[in-house]
Structures are given as C-alpha cells and as structure tokens.
Amino acid sequence: MSNQAATPANPAPRAAERPVHIEVRDLTMAFGNFVLMRDLNFTVRHGEIFIVMGGSGCGKSTLLRHLIGLIEPAAGAVYYDGQNFTAADTEAREAMLRRFGVLYQGGALWSSMTLAENVGLPLGEFTDLAPGEIRQIAALKLALVGLRGFEDYYPNQISGGMQKRAGLARAIALDPAVLFLDEPSAGLDPVTSRLLDELILELRDSLGATIVVVTHELASIFTIGDNSIFLDAETRTLGALGNPRELRDHSDNPRVRQFLTRSASLLETAPKNG
C-alpha cells in the first residue's frame, strides 16, 4: 500500500490557473487636462485578494472608483468576466453592479439608522424579501463579521473598528462576486487591523469572492495580498505587478522596494486618500 497521500479528485486550481475575473485595458485616469495615471493594464483572477498600492495621491482610491463606475475613464475600459463594463448600457451595467460589494473609507454608515437597518438597505432596494426576512439576513451578516447582538445599535454607539465591520457586513449583504475595500484598516490600531485582515481572509474563503483592496498598510499587504499593483506617482503609470512579497524582494523599481520597506521619506507613512 502506497504511503503517498491521496491526490484530490478535483484539486483547487492555483491562482495563476484561475480564470480572469477583472481585466483593465489601457486605462487612463484624468481630470480635464491633468492625467493622473495612464495606460494601466492588469488582470485580477477569480478568488484573488488583489492589492492596489502606491504613494500618497497616486490615484489608488480613484482607480477603485473607476472600477465600480463612479468615475468614467478618459481612455480604456474595465471588463468583468469578459464583458465590457465601461461600454455597457444602463441595464447591463446595473446587473453587473448588483454583483459588487463596496466598503468605503470610514464605513460610510447612515448615522440615523441602526446597524441592522444599514445592512438591510441593499436587501430592501434590490430584493423582494419581506421586512422580517431582511432583518434575519442582516443579523446573519452582522454575525459573520463578529457583531452578533449589535443589530439595534447606532454607528455612534460602537467603536471605529466595529463600524468598519458593520460596513463590511453591508458590503456582503447581497453575497457579491466582487468585494471592493477602500482603506479598510485606515485609522485602526494594530490589533483591530489584524483582526480585520483575518476577517477578510475568512470572507474570501466563505463567499468565494474576488476582493480588491486599496491599502497602504504593509502588514495588511503582506498578510492578505495574493497579487498587487503599484501605482507610480512619478511616472504616472503602473510601476509593478505581482505578489507583494516578491515585489519587495525582487522588484527592479526602487520606488516599489522603498514603498514596501518604508525606507523612503517621500512616500506616505500615514493614511491619506489616494
């Protein structure tokens, strides 16, 4: 009898073998005549946690807004599963948007609504569920992020870290295929930030979602990132693409290495809007 471990019948594909979920082609971000970033080309594969990083003001959060259609590109396009999101008509784009979940900076919770009401908003807007069913699902999503029992609390009654988790619960209310997180750890203490990173990994595994994270936090970048891009503010284009640890150790772009080792005074050391 062989001592070798049995090979799974259908082993999970390696990241490089997974199908492409998001493709950005020749994307240029501009405000009038001012070009923020040009000629961005990269892909995000299904089930990846993909990091968007770079120095302060390089356009990280602006890129996220392009990916979800809040800002239209000056040139180029964004594709989801091969479908052109940028050029899609209103009906097709709205269908794709319903597969997105977004955590904005600060959580962006409605202060006049309880946590359950905040999480229930997209369910009330995009489903035919009864109020009682919405309440049950909202409670489940809050439990998934560690907020069981806080359904009737208001945002000003909980900590900043709890607000981020409540915002994450709202982002996953519709079981999104793609989850976008804008500076999820900004302003959090190291322990709370680490717990949030662990939660992001758990949600990736439980939802099977593709997750795009805008962050400058090195601990998060190395803990959760499968792949990443570095937006180079000096050249105003893509400075590097690859696994963050490999980029730190082997990138031939000195600004990438400086960013990932925090040895450059010109790059951000505190959370700021991208």
Side-chain angles (χ1 to χ4, degrees), residues 74-252:
V78 180
Y79 291 77
Y80 289 92
D81 288 324
Q83 185 176 2
N84 190 327
F85 174 75
T86 305
D89 59 30
T90 301
E91 183 177 356
R93 181 178 280 207
E94 287 183 353
M96 284 188 273
L97 285 171
R98 291 179 189 180
R99 301 294 290 152
F100 298 172
V102 185
L103 173 63
Y104 298 98
Q105 289 187 34
L109 299 172
W110 293 97
S111 60
S112 61
M113 304 175 73
T114 66
L115 300 190
E117 290 169 340
N118 267 282
V119 176
L121 269 177
L123 294 164
E125 181 73 20
F126 297 113
T127 74
D128 296 324
L129 295 171
E133 294 173 314
I134 291 175
R135 169 81 182 188
Q136 290 178 352
I137 294 174
L140 172 62
K141 300 302 182 181
L142 286 166
L144 286 175
V145 301
L147 292 176
R148 184 188 302 275
F150 287 87
E151 294 85 358
D152 296 320
Y153 280 66
Y154 288 88
N156 64 359
Q157 295 177 310
I158 60 177
S159 69
M162 294 169 75
Q163 290 178 24
K164 288 287 182 74
R165 283 188 278 154
L168 191 52
R170 185 178 61 189
I172 64 172
L174 294 171
D175 296 329
V178 191
L179 191 56
F180 297 94
L181 311 179
D182 193 0
E183 297 283 8
S185 301
L188 302 182
D189 63 84
V191 173
T192 303
S193 179
R194 186 180 70 249
L195 292 174
L196 187 59
D197 287 341
E198 293 173 357
L199 176 59
I200 291 169
L201 290 169
E202 291 172 5
L203 290 175
R204 187 270 310 273
D205 294 339
S206 61
L207 294 174
T210 301
I211 303 179
V212 178
V213 185
V214 169
T215 185
H216 73 285
E217 301 281 356
L218 287 184
S220 294
I221 288 169
F222 295 132
T223 298
I224 67 176
D226 297 312
N227 205 357
S228 66
I229 55 170
F230 177 83
L231 300 184
D232 194 326
E234 184 169 319
T235 61
R236 298 186 184 180
T237 191
L238 196 66
L241 168 65
N243 177 274
R245 292 179 182 274
E246 293 177 3
L247 292 179
R248 178 195 60 195
D249 298 336
H250 304 296
S251 175
D252 57 5

